[in-house]
Amino acid sequence: MSKPTDLVQGTLDLLILRTVALEPIHGWAIAQRIRQVSNEQLRVGQSALYPALHKLEHQGLIEAEWLRAKTIAAPSTTSSPRPAAKP
């Protein structure tokens, strides 16, 4: 059985993918859009957002440009996600 944290992480991943599917968007705006569409119920902090963005990029689901001031994420242009790395 999966842990509650697995469910939350998977949910965050889907929320991020849904958000960046609309347009390339920087990290802070992703968090704000999630907060807005959830009627202020979900607040995504940097400590959860940026690791999730890195993971999604590593999986090939998004492409990100990591700048010192902001991060811009967009859906990946590849046709399929990368296979999961073995631990």
Side-chain angles (χ1 to χ4, degrees), residues 39-74:
N39 293 321
E40 306 289 324
Q41 297 299 309
L42 299 174
R43 296 177 187 221
V44 180
Q46 291 182 11
S47 63
L49 178 64
Y50 290 99
L53 288 171
H54 279 285
K55 182 179 88 173
L56 292 169
E57 181 183 32
H58 180 73
Q59 292 173 339
L61 297 172
I62 65 169
E63 294 177 351
E65 182 179 349
W66 299 95
L67 306 173
R68 185 170 212 152
K70 61 183 174 181
T71 301
I72 300 172

